[in-house]
Amino acid sequence: MELTLVVLIIIVGLTFDFTNGFHDAANAIATSISTRALTPRIALAMAAVMNFLGAFLGTEVAKTVGSGIIGAPEGLSGLLLVMSALIGAIGWNVFTWWKGLPTSSSHALIGGLVGAALAAAATVNWPGILGKVLLPMLLSPLVGVALGYTLHTLILWMFRHAAPRPTTRRFRMAQTVSAAGMALGHGLQDAQKTMGVIVLALVTAGWQDDFSVPLWVIVAVAAAMAAGTYSGGRRIITTLGRRIVHLDPPRGFAAESAATGVLYTTAFVFEAPISTTQTITASILGVGATRRLSAVRWQVARSIFTAWVLTFPGAGLPAAALYLILHATTEL
C-alpha cells in the first residue's frame, strides 16, 4: 500500500507541477507578449527552457517546503496527507486557470498541506509559516510595487530626451533578457516547492532520512514544469498582459526586472517560497501607476487580490475533506 501511495504521490506531484507550469506561464512572458517583444510561440518555448534550467539552481526552498511547513505523520496517514494536499492544490489551480485569475500555485500547495495536516491532527509549524510564507506573501507584492514604480520612473527620467521609436525598439530587445530572467526565477522558486513535497513523501515513507533532494526528483520536476509552461496559460496571459494596465516595452522591462530581483533575493537570501504570480502582478501595478493611478484597472486588481485571499482556504478545505474521506476509506 505504501509503495503504491508513494508512486501515486510522485505522479500527482508531477501533475501539480505541470499545472503550475501552464497556470504560471504568464508570470514570465505575459508582458513580453503584450508589448510584442516576443511572439507567443517563441515566448513559451523560451520560458519552458528557462524554467527547466532554473530548477537546477538550488534546493533551499524545497527543504523549507518539505520540512518547515508541517510535520507529517509517518506511514500511511502521512502519505494520505501529502496526496490530499496535492490534489487540493491541483483543483484550485485548474479552477483559477479556468477563471483566468493569476493566483499563486505556491500558496495553493501550502494551503493544501496545512488543510490536510489540520484534518489529520498533524503538526503545523505556525512560526515557520509566519516567517517563511505569510510575511513574504505580504511583503513581496509591496516590494514589487515599489521596485516597479521606482525602476520605471528612473527609466522615464533617463530616456526623457530620447527618440520614442528607437527607444521602444531597444526595450523590446531588452525584454527578451528580462523575460528570460523572470522565467529562470520562476523555475528556481516554483519547481522547488514540488520537489519539497515529493521529498516529504519519501521521508514519510521511510525511503530516505533527510530532506535533501535527489537528482532524479529535480530532473522529473523540471521536465514536468517545462512541459506545462510550453502548453501555456493563455487565459492568464491575457489578464496579466492586457487587463490590468496597458504596457509598453519600457514598462514591461521594468516590471519583469523588478519581479526578477524579488524572486532571486527571496530564494537565495531568505529561502522563502514566495509567489511569482503575486510578485509580477504587483510589479505591473507599480509600473502602471507611474502614468497615473487611473491607468490601472483597479477592478481587475481587486478580483486578483480576492483570489489571493481565497487561495489558502480554496486549496486547504478540499484537501482536508479529501484526507478525511481517504483516511476513513482505508480504515474500512
Side-chain angles (χ1 to χ4, degrees):
M1 175 68 77
E2 286 190 358
L3 172 62
T4 302
L5 272 176
V6 171
V7 173
L8 281 175
I9 286 171
I10 293 171
I11 294 172
V12 173
L14 295 178
T15 302
F16 167 78
D17 207 46
F18 182 87
T19 67
N20 187 317
F22 79 70
H23 188 279
D24 291 0
N27 293 342
I29 60 176
T31 56
S32 297
I33 291 174
S34 68
T35 61
R36 300 181 181 177
L38 296 170
T39 64
R41 185 180 297 274
I42 292 175
L44 286 168
M46 180 272 293
V49 171
M50 300 307 287
N51 272 187
F52 182 85
L53 296 176
F56 291 87
L57 294 183
T59 59
E60 295 306 316
V61 173
K63 293 174 184 176
T64 296
V65 172
S67 61
I69 305 300
I70 65 168
E74 295 183 357
L76 184 61
S77 294
L79 294 174
L80 290 175
L81 187 161
V82 176
M83 173 75 78
S84 301
L86 285 168
I87 293 175
I90 290 172
W92 183 253
N93 270 358
V94 172
F95 173 75
T96 52
W97 166 81
W98 177 55
K99 291 293 186 180
L101 293 173
T103 58
S104 170
S105 297
S106 307
H107 294 153
L109 179 58
I110 292 170
L113 285 170
V114 172
L118 290 174
T123 302
V124 178
N125 183 10
W126 293 112
I129 292 174
L130 176 62
K132 293 289 189 178
V133 179
L134 294 181
L135 285 179
M137 180 184 74
L138 295 174
L139 292 177
S140 58
L142 296 178
V143 174
V145 169
L147 279 180
Y149 183 92
T150 302
L151 184 55
H152 188 247
T153 300
L154 183 62
I155 289 172
L156 289 175
W157 181 81
M158 291 176 62
F159 292 90
R160 64 191 185 279
H161 299 308
R165 184 168 296 179
T167 300
T168 298
R169 184 170 61 250
R170 293 190 190 101
F171 272 105
R172 279 203 177 98
M173 296 172 62
Q175 267 199 278
T176 303
V177 178
S178 61
M182 180 72 194
L184 193 71
H186 177 248
L188 167 66
Q189 269 281 350
D190 283 38
Q192 289 194 60
K193 294 147 192 172
T194 305
M195 295 178 204
V197 172
I198 292 177
V199 169
L200 175 61
L202 297 177
V203 172
T204 300
W207 289 19
Q208 68 179 58
D209 298 325
D210 59 17
F211 286 89
S212 60
V213 184
L215 179 60
W216 68 266
V217 173
I218 297 175
V219 173
V221 168
M225 175 167 283
T229 298
Y230 188 70
S231 70
R234 296 182 186 275
R235 292 172 183 262
I236 299 172
I237 287 171
T238 299
T239 299
L240 276 181
R242 297 174 185 172
R243 291 182 59 199
I244 297 175
V245 65
H246 174 72
L247 292 172
D248 54 19
R251 284 186 173 83
F253 173 80
E256 290 169 345
S257 299
T260 299
V262 175
L263 289 180
Y264 291 150
T265 302
T266 51
F268 289 123
V269 178
F270 300 106
E271 301 171 6
I274 69 161
S275 168
T276 54
T277 307
Q278 289 183 357
T279 304
I280 186 61
T281 304
S283 298
I284 291 172
L285 290 172
V287 300
T290 59
R291 179 183 297 172
R292 60 183 185 279
L293 290 179
S294 61
V296 178
R297 296 183 179 94
W298 294 107
Q299 182 60 46
V300 176
R302 281 194 294 271
S303 298
I304 293 171
F305 177 79
T306 301
W308 287 355
V309 172
L310 294 176
T311 293
F312 279 103
L317 291 175
L322 182 59
Y323 173 82
L324 293 174
I325 293 170
L326 292 176
H327 189 262
T329 301
T330 58
E331 291 187 340
L332 292 178

